[in-house]
Amino acid sequence: MSNVMIYGEIKAGKIKKSAFELASQGRKLADSMGGELAAVLMGPQGEQFAPDLARYGVDTVYVLEAPELETYNSEFYAQALAHMVGEKKPEILLISHSMQGKDLAPRTAAKLGVGHIADCIAFELDGTTLVGKRPMYAGKCYAQWSSTVSPQLASARPNVLETAENPKAGTVEKVAFSPDTSRPTYKTKELSLDTSGKVDLTEAEIIVSGGRGMGGTDYSLLEEMAGIFGPTATVGASRAAVDAGWRPHSDQVGQTGKTVTPNLYVACGISGSIQHLAGMGSSKVIVAVNKDPEAPIFTKADYGIVGDLFKVVPEFNKELKTLLAE
Amino acid sequence: MKSLVCLKQVPDTETQIKVNADGTGIVTDGIKYVINPYDEFSVEEALRLKEKFKEGEVVILTIGPDRATEAIRTALAMGADRGVHVSDEALNQADPLVSAQALAAAAAQLQYDIIFCGHRAIDDDFAATGAMLAELLKLPQVTLVTKVEVSDDKKSAVVERDVEGGKEIVEVSLPCVVTSQKGLNEPRYASLPGIMKAKKKPIDKKTAADLGVSADPKLQSKNYTMPPERQAGKKFEGLEPEEAAKVVVQALRNEAKII
Ligand SMILES: Cc1cc2nc3c(=O)[nH]c(=O)nc-3n(C[C@H](O)[C@H](O)[C@H](O)COP(=O)(O)OP(=O)(O)OC[C@H]3O[C@@H](n4cnc5c(N)ncnc54)[C@H](O)[C@@H]3O)c2cc1C
């Protein structure tokens, strides 16, 4: 029996940090329900991560193996996950609201005929009812959502839930699974992942963003800052910079771009429009560099520097380098 | 080429959202409504497909109250051919699975080679309806697409989609459901002649009973709250760049303890 089940996402041969976030949360929920915590991993690579998951409180790791599960595919993965839910009958299923999770969770929910409480930033239990708190209107308000049916499926925003070690003598169980291949799906022809080790915006702990004030495609000052911060930092952009063709669409932060939750967001030459704030407003600390003292970003920034970014950022980088070298 | 575009009317992105007094939802007075920005990419892509194949139809499918007719008319003014408006008090606030069930039932009464959804509606932000609709119709889904190339025989498409930290190119048989996002295209504006023509284009009204769907909710919401208001912090004005940089970097370490 497993009362709580999590789906652990594996990307480019590594288990994602979100799996540990879900395990830590799942452990708490399972403990309050007096139950067990299971994790589902897809593909033969999964087995090696069982000890990591046990460290975060997972009792049983189910590893599903089938040729169709070797690379991610919405139909086969959703079938596999729905199969595990059918077999193990968890009361709660948690998935990450990552790009893959956004593709997988709703399809799995529809297969199971249940709802999907998406993009939660906090969970609590009301008896055995899972209550997920989630931002709506791009974070302009929050609401608590719960399911009226079982199993209760929810996804969690990456980078928000805390990880807590809670070692268990976890076990691994391999599960043979053959998907129904008569259901139409797509075929992956080409998968090009950035192998530079650059972290995705939605998972970054530090984001250095540039807007119209950058004045062109040269983002080297911001790349340099992200580089000084290290591999958990990356570069983002406002829509104005993206629409000008200076940065790719995938870099856009905001209401029609990505919602980000870094520990530190450095906004350079960004005015702070309502749509931009909607995407980055829940960053823990915001630093703004803008030459206009009236720029709206300053009403939200923890630290605002009024000045020309081309003069301030190089000094900032110098300071940072010295400090972080210590 | 027949495209079905699922389109939702949502508050304008400029809207300041306020929670109502008893926390059961948001204050809707004075809200200006627009087409969900992601759905504009869908309309545009469907129009381009019709133009490319020089035949076909673009049908707009919307669930929503009476005011949602305006959003359908705007899409018709962009060039879509007709609208289907599911307007039923019981469905207006439906959760994603119930919405997907209603959309699936409406789609079953229509013909299509491809279905477009926005990858997320910017009001409730679930990012779920498209994938749920695909599953209910037993169709493949390709989410977060930035490029759609339909084969000449309209039997398949090569689609580019965003994945975390990269791109995936997939081949998919039609019909399928794709979910649109920014980068797919630049939506056109409705022209004046387009607006005049749109007035005469048909919009079919449907109720839940017409579609044979029940509105049994799978999710429920409560306790709407406002996020803690972010306060302006320290602003450094009139300092030399060097000095300002030093102060803030030190503060990030000693005060915010973030680096
Ligand atoms: C439907 C819709 C959706 C949208 N979605 C998004 C979204 O997802 N994300 C988003 O970002 N926007 C979005 N927008 C656009 C948004 O309204 C703003 O237009 C955009 O955010 C402005 O970008 P910006 O701050 O870079 O540019 P601007 O507003 O032009 O600001 C540039 C800033 O740079 C400063 N500056 C200029 N030169 C320098 C310098 N040398 N040093 C320091 N500062 C300098 C200026 O003082 C100014 O404050 C959306 C708009 C709409 C209508």
Side-chain angles (χ1 to χ4, degrees), chain A residues 24-76:
Chain A
S24 305
Q25 179 67 58
R27 186 68 257 164
K28 276 193 233 161
L29 295 171
D31 284 345
S32 328
M33 296 164 80
E36 303 252 296
L37 175 64
V40 176
L41 300 176
M42 304 288 179
Q45 296 170 318
E47 198 179 347
Q48 59 181 298
F49 302 114
D52 299 324
L53 284 168
R55 203 150 48 83
Y56 290 97
V58 175
D59 296 300
T60 315
V61 179
Y62 299 106
V63 180
L64 277 82
E65 297 193 10
E68 290 84 0
L69 300 177
E70 253 155 55
T71 44
Y72 175 76
N73 175 287
S74 54
E75 173 61 29
F76 297 140

Side-chain angles (χ1 to χ4, degrees), chain A residues 210-215 237-241 243 246 252-258 268-277 279 289-293 295-297 305 307-311, chain B residues 12-14 34 37-38 40 122 182:
Chain A
R212 202 192 308 269
M214 295 300 293
S238 73
R239 173 160 170 178
D243 284 353
W246 302 341
Q252 185 181 316
V253 172
Q255 187 150 22
T256 47
K258 288 181 176 158
C268 305
I270 293 177
S271 61
S273 69
I274 185 166
Q275 295 96 346
H276 191 79
L277 291 168
V289 183
N290 197 303
K291 64 181 181 190
D292 172 10
I297 189 87
I305 302 178
D308 183 345
L309 76 93
F310 294 100
K311 299 201 175 103
Chain B
D12 187 272
T13 54
E14 292 278 348
V34 296
Y38 293 106
E40 288 183 341
I122 62 157
K182 195 156 179 287

